Amino acid sequence: MVGYSVYQLDPGPLEPSVLTQQHTHRSRDIWDGSINMILNTRRCDGKLWDLAKKYPIHPRVLEVIELSGLYGVYRSNRPIIDRSLITSLVERWRPETHTFHFRTGEATITLQDVEVLYGLPVNGDPVLGDESIRTIGDWQNICQRLLGFIPRPEDFNRSSLKVTALNAHMLEQLQLPDLATHDIINQMARCYMFWMIAGMMMADTSGNYLKLMYLPMLEDLNVVSSYSWGSATLACLYRFLCKASQSNQNEIAGFLPLLQIWAWERITVLRPQVIAQRDIENNFLAGLPRGPRATR
């Protein structure tokens, strides 16, 4: 046809001075038709919630967890992760601005969201972790002192501990007597807190190992609540969102329940119906606080 011209849609960005990483972004591959993959979601906290549901945590252990500032994570339990939703959010995440680019504008997860949804402290000392070079013998001594058991050498991978080793120890200690010593109660509380931190809040892509760098921070239980766990958790999630948004990635880790529940709260069309509270199902004790907003 004479005078016919083909209109070519520009995928953007129209102004490349801000979104400088578009050429390696996951959205570029989708536009070119070279990728159609749902991201694998990595976390290693599944058996933790199986234990908590089948064997209610001892009330004295729960009191320690409540005072630590991590109680909201335990009380909110483990939602089923919607991999398609997580993947869609990653496709709209921009590492240059640390925001999601939606058709209606930009949005992001804030420290206020972390505090309201999970009750994690966002003020206080930074969570630095302890990345000192240690031998397996050193880590065995630390685990014995803080967690109450000595893992086998084959349970370690450099500075990480197999989830199965911690799970096996906790299965042996589930029926704590009412007259259990203060040290035993604290060790069991550290087991739960360490698993929540390294296996959920700041989970990596290993899938079956827990980073031991966070364990020394739980030595003095009186100062655990003084750390800004919410800031560290959000920073870790930002890092994995940035990494997963690149074209060569097929997995994501970090605190994915936070990402999913934030999307449910902020994007109302995605929000599932709240049928009933889960307090009875999870055998929560009547005297404990109800928990943060994510418990819904």
Side-chain angles (χ1 to χ4, degrees):
M1 179 182 297
V2 180
Y4 174 78
S5 62
V6 178
Y7 176 79
Q8 185 175 2
L9 182 63
D10 188 342
L14 299 179
E15 174 52 59
S17 61
V18 175
L19 304 183
T20 58
Q21 300 182 33
Q22 178 61 25
H23 62 287
T24 60
H25 196 269
R26 185 180 181 87
S27 61
R28 170 63 67 177
D29 294 338
I30 295 174
W31 180 263
D32 295 338
S34 59
I35 185 172
N36 184 21
M37 180 189 299
I38 303 297
L39 290 171
N40 294 317
T41 53
R42 300 294 187 184
R43 51 195 292 201
C44 51
D45 61 322
K47 291 186 179 298
L48 169 65
W49 304 116
D50 293 339
L51 283 176
K53 184 175 181 180
K54 188 174 182 180
Y55 306 99
I57 303 178
H58 194 281
R60 291 174 61 193
V61 175
L62 274 179
E63 290 177 3
V64 178
I65 296 176
E66 181 187 353
L67 296 175
S68 71
L70 306 179
Y71 173 74
V73 177
Y74 159 72
R75 190 59 184 261
S76 301
N77 209 290
R78 181 198 192 203
I80 298 175
I81 295 300
D82 186 341
R83 293 173 54 212
S84 297
L85 172 59
I86 299 298
T87 302
S88 297
L89 291 170
V90 170
E91 292 167 0
R92 289 157 178 79
W93 177 262
R94 299 303 312 203
E96 303 93 339
T97 59
H98 285 173
T99 57
F100 298 101
H101 285 209
F102 300 120
R103 293 183 63 184
T104 54
E106 296 181 52
T108 195
I109 310 172
T110 66
L111 289 174
Q112 183 184 43
D113 293 318
V114 179
E115 186 176 28
V116 171
L117 291 176
Y118 278 93
L120 290 172
V122 296
N123 297 309
D125 297 327
V127 177
L128 302 177
D130 187 344
E131 296 187 289
S132 304
I133 299 177
R134 289 188 169 94
T135 64
I136 290 179
D138 293 335
W139 283 121
Q140 285 178 317
N141 292 333
I142 292 175
C143 288
Q144 181 183 23
R145 187 175 74 254
L146 301 184
L147 301 180
F149 79 109
I150 303 176
R152 301 171 301 174
E154 55 266 31
D155 291 330
F156 293 93
N157 181 12
R158 297 183 180 178
S159 297
S160 297
L161 176 68
K162 277 186 179 179
V163 174
T164 52
L166 181 60
N167 183 57
H169 165 66
M170 294 176 68
L171 282 173
E172 297 175 354
Q173 302 293 325
L174 286 174
Q175 304 299 326
L176 292 178
D178 292 335
L179 298 178
T181 65
H182 188 65
D183 288 340
I184 293 177
I185 294 297
N186 288 344
Q187 288 172 345
M188 182 55 64
R190 289 192 192 96
C191 288
Y192 281 103
M193 291 188 289
F194 172 57
W195 202 342
M196 286 191 293
I197 293 169
M200 186 176 183
M201 294 162 51
M202 285 174 271
D204 59 17
T205 55
S206 66
N208 57 357
Y209 281 93
L210 303 171
K211 283 189 174 181
L212 289 164
M213 61 183 291
Y214 306 112
L215 182 56
M217 300 184 67
L218 304 178
E219 181 164 7
D220 187 353
L221 294 177
N222 294 319
V223 301
V224 172
S225 61
S226 68
Y227 292 112
S228 181
W229 295 107
S231 302
T233 299
L234 184 60
C236 182
L237 180 59
Y238 273 23
R239 176 176 178 269
F240 280 110
L241 281 168
C242 292
K243 186 176 181 180
S245 68
Q246 300 304 299
S247 60
N248 60 342
Q249 298 296 315
N250 61 2
E251 59 186 5
I252 184 174
F255 198 9
L256 299 180
L258 169 63
L259 175 58
Q260 180 166 303
I261 292 179
W262 172 85
W264 287 350
E265 287 286 330
R266 298 299 186 181
I267 310 174
T268 56
V269 295
L270 300 176
R271 184 183 303 171
Q273 180 182 3
V274 179
I275 299 176
Q277 297 291 340
R278 294 181 289 115
D279 289 6
I280 298 177
E281 174 186 335
N282 291 308
N283 299 317
F284 292 120
L285 299 177
L288 291 172
R290 293 187 59 84
R293 188 172 178 82
T295 57
R296 299 194 313 160

